Amino acid sequence: MTAINNTGILFNLQGHTALVTGASSGIGHHLALTLAQAGARVVVAARRVDKLESLVGEIKQRGGQASAVALDVTSAASVTACFDAIEAQGLLADVVVSNAGVTVAKPALQQTEQDWDQVLDTNLKGCWLVNTEAARRLVHHKKPGSIINISSILGERVAGAVVGYSASKAGVTQFTKSLALEFARYGIRVNAVLPGYVVTDLNSEFLASDAGKKLESRIPFRRFCQMSDMDGPILLLASDAGRAMTGTSLAVDWGHLVSSL
Ligand code: NDP
């Protein structure tokens, strides 16, 4: 029987290297700190390298290990260069949190081709590029790994003014299952986390407004997610605790997805 007091070991990420894309702000920044605290050596990636460097400083100050790599997920060359840079440090990313994402909030009839391309190229193509390059490196080194895609409940339910975003996240949730099926033979797990509305610096003002309060009242638990609500699900999927989990879509949303409103 598994001893109850081994919980800490089960979720421990010591000896693992975790790549977090879109770590220069919001959820990615927070999850990089969480993974470092669980013992992973963290590689933080995004376009704004100055922000990444200050996060690296924060992680090191707390006793963790981290480095920053420039990354534009919309470019296959940049994704390859990011993984090359990780290998040049003598590391192999065996936990990958594909979190980089953008939203364009406009009514459908006002969305331009450029809006559509920006959202789909970042959220869907970018995530696919990161997933497949991560897997390519793991397969080459014959190592298992865990890929976690930050999708959204808006890939399953819809809201106004985010047509491209919803389509991109539906794609992420679905390709997560395809890759889980294909990568199982290599010992690579692929899962999606579907956050509900998560309070970050960028949206806190809106979520606290009257319109935000109305939205909150439609969530079964009557509350938005805090970034720390993501910690348990991410550590579960990243670590040995979730070793039998692949191809799942884990909603972290205080019940928003099951609400009838
Ligand atoms: P932020 O805008 O705070 O963070 C987005 C991150 O993505 C930034 O670090 C940004 O870095 C990075 N990014 C954007 N474009 C690119 C690119 N082309 N290449 C590399 N990195 C890029 O948003 P959140 O923290 O709120 O969102 C993070 C993820 O969580 C997204 O995928 C989002 O869809 C998802 N999500 C968020 C929810 C919320 O309520 N906040 C709810 C559900 C899902 P940089 O600009 O430096 O490149």
Side-chain angles (χ1 to χ4, degrees):
M1 197 170 97
T2 310
I4 284 172
N5 66 3
N6 77 356
T7 316
I9 297 166
L10 209 53
F11 290 87
N12 196 297
L13 292 177
Q14 252 156 27
H16 294 275
T17 296
L19 168 66
V20 183
T21 73
S24 58
S25 63
I27 295 170
H29 176 110
H30 174 83
L31 293 179
L33 288 164
T34 301
L35 292 161
Q37 199 169 356
R41 184 174 195 314
V42 177
V43 180
V44 292
R47 294 167 302 181
R48 288 170 295 167
V49 176
D50 54 327
K51 301 239 176 223
L52 297 176
E53 292 296 357
S54 79
L55 172 58
V56 166
E58 197 178 339
I59 291 171
K60 286 185 174 167
Q61 208 169 21
R62 296 185 190 191
Q65 291 177 283
S67 54
V69 176
L71 171 66
D72 179 350
V73 296
T74 64
S75 153
S78 176
V79 172
T80 303
C82 168
F83 280 89
D84 285 346
I86 296 170
E87 288 198 7
Q89 294 174 44
L91 301 169
L92 177 69
D94 61 350
V95 172
V96 174
V97 180
S98 182
N99 162 81
V102 290
T103 322
V104 172
K106 280 184 200 169
L109 295 184
Q110 289 170 25
Q111 297 242 357
T112 62
E113 183 181 2
Q114 201 184 6
D115 294 333
W116 178 269
D117 285 347
Q118 190 202 349
V119 172
L120 272 290
D121 283 356
T122 308
N123 299 4
L124 185 58
K125 184 181 109 173
C127 190
W128 168 74
L129 285 172
V130 169
N131 277 229
T132 48
E133 192 57 31
R136 217 167 268 127
R137 307 286 170 140
L138 288 165
V139 170
H140 178 75
H141 291 280
K142 296 188 170 48
K143 295 280 186 198
S146 171
I147 298 172
I148 303 164
N149 293 322
I150 305 302
S151 187
S152 167
I153 58 167
L154 291 178
E156 297 214 353
R157 59 174 293 150
V158 291
V162 285
V163 59
Y165 183 81
S166 291
S168 72
K169 294 299 189 179
V172 168
T173 303
Q174 186 67 359
F175 86 54
T176 295
K177 295 177 204 167
S178 295
L179 295 185
L181 176 65
E182 287 201 37
F183 293 171
R185 74 197 67 175
Y186 308 117
I188 300 168
R189 299 184 290 111
V190 192
N191 291 286
V193 171
L194 282 51
Y197 290 85
V198 183
V199 182
T200 68
D201 287 346
L202 294 185
N203 63 18
S204 59
E205 217 168 293
F206 167 72
L207 295 182
S209 71
D210 284 348
K213 290 213 171 74
K214 213 164 142 193
L215 184 60
E216 193 173 32
S217 71
R218 295 194 216 120
I219 301 170
F221 268 80
R222 312 275 182 259
R223 58 197 290 189
F224 295 120
C225 292
Q226 299 299 320
M227 289 190 278
S228 57
D229 294 333
M230 308 273 292
D231 293 349
I234 291 292
L235 292 178
L236 170 69
L237 295 174
S239 70
D240 207 38
R243 63 182 173 252
M245 299 177 73
T246 195
T248 60
S249 309
L250 212 56
V252 180
D253 66 347
W254 291 110
H256 203 156
L257 209 48
V258 293
S259 90
S260 53
L261 297 166

